[in-house]
Structure formats: C-alpha cells, structure tokens
Amino acid sequence: MRLDKLLGNMGYGSRKELRTLVKKGLVTVDGVVPKSSDINVDPEKQVILFNGDRVTYKPYVYLMMNKPQGVISATEDSRGQRCAVDLVGEEFSMYDLSPAGRLDIDTEGFLLLTNDGAFIHDVISPKKHVVKEYYACLEGVATEEDVKAFADGLILADGTECMEAELVIVGTDTDTNTSEVVVKICEGKFHQVKRMTLSRGLKVTYLKRMAIGGLRLGTDLEAGEYRELTLEEKESILR
Ligand code: URA
C-alpha cells in the first residue's frame, strides 16, 4: 500500500501535506526516513512512525456503544441533534463509521458502529437472521395471546407483515396496567418494536437494545460509553 494513501486514510493529512511532512523527516519506515511519500509499504510487517508514534493500520473497526437517549444514530446531523458518532473520540476520527441498524432517539442500548459496509449488510439483512434483542417496558398487560401473535408473524396497522418474532413476558402488573418484556426480531423496520407492540394494544414506554446476534451489550458500558470489539466478539455477532 502507498505510504501517503495509508497515512491519508488514517487522517494524518492530505497527499500534498504528507509529501511535505515526509520531506521534513516526520515519518520513518523501519527507522529510515523515506525518500518520497509514494513508496509502497506493508503496514503489517514494517514499523511506521509518525512524529515518533507507531502507526498501526486497521482497515476496519467495530465499536459497541451504549447509546443514550437524546442522541440520534444517523451519521448526519439532522436539525442540530447530537449524533452517536459525535460521542466517538479522536482516535477513530479517520474511520467513516456508520451504525449497523438504527435506534430511535429515545431508545437506549447496543449500537454497533463500523466502517465495514459488508458486515453492516449482514447484520441488518433479515435474510441473515441475526437476532436483535430488546428489553421493553409497556403500558398494558401482555398475555400469552400476544406471545402467540408475535410467534405467528404480526401484521402492523398499515398492513406491513412482520417476520416471526419472539415475545417473552418478564413480568406484568394489572394494578399499574404495565408489563416488562423481551422482544427478539430479525428485522429492522422503522419503529419496529414500538409498532409491533402497538398492534397488540401495548405502548412502549422504555426501550433498550440488549444484544445483536450472539453478542450482548457489555455491562461495563455506561450510557454514552463505547469500546472497540475484540475479533472474537465481532465474530460472535453473526454466529
Ligand atoms: N424498534 C423500535 O421501535 N425502535 C428502535 O429504536 C429499535 C427497534
């Protein structure tokens, strides 16, 4: 890979800027200042230093974020609202991160951010059957009939057909007319969980995504925090 392309991809500067910086001797490859910025390098085998710091190149990064309420998961700021990618620190600024499946502004929990488009496709494609698990508080008392309706495949108010899904009743309270449930779906239609429960007369009052595929939201992450996934964790998502 060309040195200027590698450093450019990682946000160290434009091709023109890098030409100057390399000329100034700010970059070394295996301890040697290269003659020009367009030499070919192997970032996995060679030691590249920028201003004395090791440049470790990874083509893709995978972040698990515990998205807080009040933050949108879209990458482009809409009407001045804060985006999840704005919470990600400088060290990932060179990566063009997108969410693998959106969460509503008032939904909390597991937001997967990555620059790996093929992986995003696999995670969100209903055909790949990657289960997304949500914990929800509901207004209304969920029943075994609701469980069966979810399992059979719901039809939403506008006629949209949903794939078979799982509704697990965690608890109900007839005095307060509320329920706690877990919903497991393989799709990601607009407001899907809210619309699914509403089609059964149950209104979501709180929603949190707990897991994507085989990977659960880390209990180490407070709302707004994120961390990079290990290779094993990343692979467990599609397993
Ligand atoms: N379903 C919803 O209704 N909202 C979300 O944010 C995610 C799933």
Side-chain angles (χ1 to χ4, degrees):
M1 178 170 208
R2 271 173 58 146
L3 179 62
D4 54 1
K5 187 155 194 293
L6 168 87
L7 294 172
N9 282 354
M10 297 191 68
Y12 286 99
S14 66
R15 199 168 277 189
K16 196 171 157 208
E17 287 163 344
L18 287 165
R19 202 180 306 140
T20 311
L21 295 171
V22 167
K23 261 198 195 133
K24 282 188 178 163
L26 248 74
V27 180
T28 60
V29 179
D30 287 338
V32 177
V33 176
K35 287 204 174 67
S36 93
S37 59
D38 62 1
I39 60 159
N40 277 318
V41 290
D42 182 343
E44 275 162 36
K45 295 208 179 98
Q46 293 178 292
V47 177
I48 301 164
L49 301 184
F50 186 94
N51 212 6
D53 293 329
R54 178 88 191 255
V55 175
T56 41
Y57 183 69
K58 281 177 286 189
Y60 298 120
V61 291
Y62 306 87
L63 305 181
M64 171 195 278
M65 176 181 282
N66 184 0
K67 186 187 96 61
Q69 291 186 352
V71 168
I72 59 167
S73 47
T75 45
E76 271 138 51
D77 190 352
S78 65
R79 287 161 282 127
Q81 285 166 314
R82 238 173 14 133
C83 304
V85 286
D86 297 340
L87 305 180
V88 177
E90 267 290 293
E91 75 267 37
F92 297 106
S93 61
M94 64 286 260
Y95 295 102
D96 190 13
L97 297 173
S98 297
R102 293 185 180 188
L103 292 177
D104 297 335
I105 190 163
D106 57 353
T107 303
E108 296 179 11
F110 189 172
L111 187 69
L112 176 66
L113 294 165
T114 179
N115 59 332
D116 183 346
F119 190 70
I120 292 179
H121 175 266
D122 284 349
V123 170
I124 64 178
S125 168
K127 287 191 196 127
K128 300 280 177 180
H129 291 276
V130 177
V131 176
K132 286 85 186 180
E133 182 184 312
Y134 295 87
Y135 166 79
C137 297
L138 307 174
E139 205 177 278
V141 174
T143 65
E144 286 308 314
E145 276 169 37
D146 297 319
V147 172
K148 186 168 182 313
F150 269 65
D152 289 345
L154 288 168
I155 299 178
L156 304 181
D158 64 356
T160 304
E161 290 182 24
C162 297
M163 289 168 72
E164 292 153 21
E166 197 179 334
L167 175 72
V168 179
I169 301 174
V170 179
T172 56
D173 186 334
T174 45
D175 290 342
T176 55
N177 189 37
T178 56
S179 309
E180 281 176 63
V181 296
V182 169
V183 178
K184 297 182 190 180
I185 54 175
C186 294
E187 300 170 286
K189 297 187 202 298
F190 184 62
H191 296 329
Q192 180 149 357
V193 173
K194 292 174 185 168
R195 289 159 72 212
M196 286 172 94
T197 58
L198 210 53
S199 77
R200 300 293 308 168
L202 303 160
K203 187 173 181 290
V204 167
T205 54
Y206 174 82
L207 190 60
K208 180 171 185 174
R209 183 154 60 198
M210 305 305 295
I212 303 178
L215 186 62
R216 302 197 73 75
L217 176 67
T219 49
D220 55 326
L221 294 177
E222 298 286 331
E225 290 184 342
Y226 65 91
R227 66 172 167 77
E228 201 171 346
L229 296 181
T230 63
L231 183 63
E232 202 175 304
E233 285 177 321
K234 178 235 160 183
E235 286 179 351
S236 73
I237 289 176
L238 297 183
R239 214 176 284 141

